[in-house]
Amino acid sequence: MAEKWSPSGCVTFCGTARKPCLADSAHCSGSRMPGARHVAVPHSPSSLPLPHTFRHVNIGNQFQAELPDLQDPARLEEEEEGASLVWKPWGDIETNPETQEKGFTALTEKFVQRSGVDRGTDELAQTLNEYLCDILEEFLIFGGDILKFAGDAVLVLWRTPPQEVARTISLVLHCSQQIQKKYGRRDTDVGQKIQLKIGISAGTMSLPVFGDESWQHFCIFGPCLAEVRDAKEVAGAGEVVLSATCWELCEQHRLRIKHLAGTRAVQVTGMDPMPWSECQDALRKLVQDPVRHRSKREGAMRPTLLLPSDLNAKDVLRKYIPVAALGKLDAGLPMDLLSELRPVTCIFVQLQLAAGTSSVHLSTVLKEASRVMLEILSPHKGHINKVLLCDKGCTFLCVLGLPGNKLPCESLHALQSALEIFNSCSTMLEERETMSVAVTRGTMFCGVTGHPLRHEYTVFGQKVNLAARMMVHYPGLVSCDAVTYAASRLPASYFKELPEREMKGLRQPGPVYQYVGVTEESIFGVGLTKKRSEYVPLLGRKQETDLFVSCLNAYRDSGQRNILAVEGTMGCGKSHLLAELASLGQDAGHRVVALELLEIDTRQPFSAIRMLMARALGLQDCESRGDRQRVLKTKLQGTIEESSYCLLNDIFGVKFPISDNVREMDETQRRLELHSTRVKVLEKTLTGDFGIFVIDNAHFIDPDSWFIMSPVLQKVSLFMVMSLAPGYEITESFRKAAADNATSQKITYLHLDKLKASVVMQKVCKDLGVVSIPRDLVRFLIRTSSGIPYYCEELLRCLRANDMLQFCTRRQSGKAKDNWESLITSAAEASSLAATWSSEAQNDGRVCLLRPGVTLENTALPIPLKEIALTQLDRMQPLTRMVVKFAAIIGPVFTTQLLLHILPTGLRTHMNSLLDELVSDNILRWLKNTEVPEDVQDPTEGPATSSQVESSVQRPSPSTRTEEQQPGVLAFCVPLLQKAAYELWPGRQRVTLHGKCAAFLEQHAHKCRSCGQGEFVAFHHFAVTSSQDGGSCRDPADGGDSCSWEALVLAGEELKQDRTHATGDAAEQQAFTEAETGVAERLLPEGEQTTELPDETDRQHNGTHWCECRAIVESVLVPLARHYVAMGDADRAFYYLLECAAAYLHVSNSYMALMKLNEAEVLRKMKATAIACFEEATFFSLKGEVCWCMQRLQLAEKMMREALSLLRRNFPETFLGAFVKAQVEKLPCVAYVRRAACLLQKGRRMKRLAWLLQQSCCLSLLERLFSLEGTSSGRRFSRLAARMKANTDRALDSCWTAELPPRTDLGHRQMPAQTQTQVQMPL
């Protein structure tokens, strides 16, 4: 429907939440949804024209819209009404051949090169949104309104009566000068400047509206649009240019201009100041509706209108809002939750129209083209996101995979849709008119961009820019990038590689292909693309191969026909299994006819039987049409009559002469004869001496082929193996036939299970060519892949592509280097798991290790796996999907209290029902508490000391808790889904949510009640904060409630079990656990004994309470470090990594303490700011304790000396120094220390306590280290360490006495329980 636009209507995107209504005295300053939001009511007597006061409507809770005036389409070329002024600020980053190398595409490339595709796209979105927001704020103040967003350009409109055009131009120029002065140039984080150039035109425009019953869009065109484009083209960075018409209409006496060569446009170099009173008067003269209401809400800058509820305008206006945004708005979600970073596929379609195209022809083309595109895209949940008119034609941006619309085989659907659009739209173009289509795939920003009062739901990113370039550089065809080519999984015969062409602004765009679709070469199909596994027999599939051999022997010996149907989910190894079975059949002396079907074959009638018959007859090997004809005559002799060979022409691409018999048949007779011929040929190929048949992806058999195959398979004697995927009609029919007694003997139905964890590990070792792999890598792959081979292969491919693995030869037994790096390497090797769980694993060969600094949990998912997970996620309703996204921030296991804390207010009331729905759909599972002693039911009420969260982190408020919500713990059933949902969050939102999680967890970052409730590094936060901060710490009673503590303990037990028991059966779990707990023993040189160490967890039964520290470290401390790393807060992340290490030492897990210290080491090297002296000393002290536990005594001594040096308690290295130090330590100084401690403020006393505790711990360990030497020098240093420790303990006692009154439960030292634990920990 093409309509003439009168400048009065717009759809607005409101920044203030309102409930859906039609009769509302709206006072929202709405923001336009440009690009697909301007509205036309269907042409009918009842709706033409609408009174001005009947034009305002609210949609959902965030959208507000105005209806445009309507005109008769017949008058489209007769009249153009209304005077309008167009102002178009174009960034110098606009996609212009002259500025491309400095433009938007180059800016995108720089962000992606610096931060990767995901994070780079996110940073680009933030940069552009901030810049656009500042610019749009200015022209909203000066009465302008957004008409269109066009990538990095904005088209702005002032509506003015003819008599006010001159002064309105002055107003717009004044606005432009202000914007250029304030925002004309801005630096970015990647070193490239963003600059503005502005073109201004005046005139009228037309607006064609088009779409279908569910979606509508609009475009704008007219002389003023052409002039503003020309003005923009001649404008330079920082310049403002007037079109020729605009220059003729403006107040020329106020301007200083510069004439531009080769054009009638002029550059404005200056103008006389325009007082604000004059600006206000000009604003009042702009075209507005008679009834105006200025919104009183903060930030509103334009008039709003009223609309009663007696019209069906709501349903009409909804068509102009993208489906991806509309669903979330209907669910009542906040505006900031509309944006995501997700992999999508974009299709750019350009219709290049002839010069001087009439408005009628343009409107017709737009209407028909959009109708065709919607019909083709709708079955695949594709949408048109943008429609832009330019001087060379019209461009459509179509997107597949938007939120809530992800489907499997997206790249294949996009290519097929692009080809159908190309073929269909080409027929409607006139001579000298062409079209081109480009398809790209990758991670893009899908969400809201613009100003808070003027939003657009759009898609942009590196791949959008690439598609726009390809569309221009490869005209007249359907092109695609290498990623789409690979993801389609189509044979190479469907494509043609195109010559490389330089595309400005893009570095190394990669190969570009033309998609040609089905060709003569591809009509005969392809064999099995998977090759036989090099691991013979196939790992983990012995039961399946034995069943195949048994069925094959029965077929060979007695001719017993059988169809072996193998069902399994995508990626479970069906294709690999069929390749193995095909090879076994060939080894047994059978001819194997193998065929792999594709999803695209389901849309080609009779394609499956054509491929099956052709490959059975050997037609795929024929070089010419004549060869095919000779083969058909030879092998089908006696099967069909000579006169019927011509019926095979369309089936096999041959040219037999049309016989008289066939020529005389009518259409019905010919159809019946063709069907009979197909059946005869199929029976001949299946029952003859053609061997056994193997069909991979048999669920892709097209309906027409299945109509013929189904009865034939029931009556012929054959042996066939086929793979099937769940969720298809053919799969269901085979499943029912296998269960039917009448046909069950003819069909053997086999369900392919996931691989066992031990098999996954063996497969990984063989794929990598190593004899062992790190324990952490095994756990990561088993947990993320869920035993699906394809997932495991993709994860390994991603790790290797990102250089996260390193390979080396297993070191021969001997004394290792005595340094920290060597200890880390030795621990990694000692904790590695061999290719077999047997103790007879090889002792030499290549081994795989993780590169230093690699954290597998932070590894981004490969796009193929992410799309698989998002396909499942997008089947959910918007609210359910949003709950999964919030839960994903917390981690694979989460408590309902923490989820409630981070959920938006509107979602909290629905949380219980949504969680139950997710549990019923097997997305989540409830964790049940295990049986523990009764005294566990009295957990701690809170920590003795806890740190304050930064001002940016909000503490949970008791008033916001839902009383009806019962505490509980849930876990993701599919870890892949949790990871994919987490990666959808844009960076800023992710940081905010991590901060909320950290605020909640910090209430519980302490020991359990039985261990004293203190921090694991005693008085840690007092030592790293000022005395004022330390004195204002939360009171213990303000810590987390008992229900939260119980839930976190349960979550921690699950996380610990997940970390140590990642495998399936008991034997595998035991080996996996020993890889962690036995590291210290395996690191010892031969012949050395492990010094007996007390186990802190032996104190679990201490008469009153059960130790819960093992669980808390997993569910609180480790997540806290992860949250702060994600927030970019290195100081707090380092703080909690030290707490993690101390906690693991507290529960006698030296391996995990070593791993956390290694993470802290990496973070320490990356920190831009210096680490607090106390934390640096604690870091070395914990290193020393780990070295002590692993019997690296010299390294432990080195670390403790370094720690004491940082603690200003230097320990001498020479005999002379030891002698002098001993004399100094004998001096009486306790009285001084006691008096000095009494004079300190409370915060400083607590800080001194922390320092003294660390000193005592280090000296205690040094005393034991030197005593183990058994030499006179060792005894001398041991006595010195003991004396220094005794003095330190006296100072500690006096400092504690000054802080609190004596406590009889602490014994003669009168210090808190965590002090005794900290000092005695390594002993």
Side-chain angles (χ1 to χ4, degrees), residues 44 101 124 224 238 297 361 387 405 410 443 448 602 610 636 672 755-756 796 801 868 1004 1152 1255:
S44 65
E101 293 184 356
L124 173 67
C224 65
R297 277 193 281 273
H361 177 61
V387 184
N405 295 278
E410 181 177 286
T443 300
V448 174
T602 59
R610 178 182 64 240
L636 296 181
L672 293 175
L755 294 179
K756 291 184 177 180
L796 272 182
I868 292 173
H1004 308 280
M1152 287 306 299
Q1255 292 174 8

Side-chain angles (χ1 to χ4, degrees), residues 1077 1093-1098 1110 1142-1151 1189 1321:
T1077 59
L1093 302 174
D1095 190 348
E1096 288 293 331
T1097 55
D1098 289 341
R1110 285 182 180 271
Y1144 278 121
L1145 285 171
H1146 175 71
V1147 298
S1148 300
N1149 191 336
S1150 56
Y1151 172 77
C1189 293
M1321 183 171 8

Side-chain angles (χ1 to χ4, degrees), residues 3-6 75-77 79-81 84 147 203-209 218-225 359 362-363 389:
E3 299 178 0
K4 181 67 172 297
W5 183 67
S6 175
R75 300 176 57 197
L76 188 62
E77 290 188 309
E79 183 180 8
E80 292 188 345
E81 297 185 28
S84 304
L147 192 59
T204 59
M205 62 185 69
S206 299
L207 182 147
V209 178
F218 79 101
C219 267
I220 50 175
F221 61 90
C224 65
L225 267 297
S359 300
L362 177 60
S363 300
L389 280 178

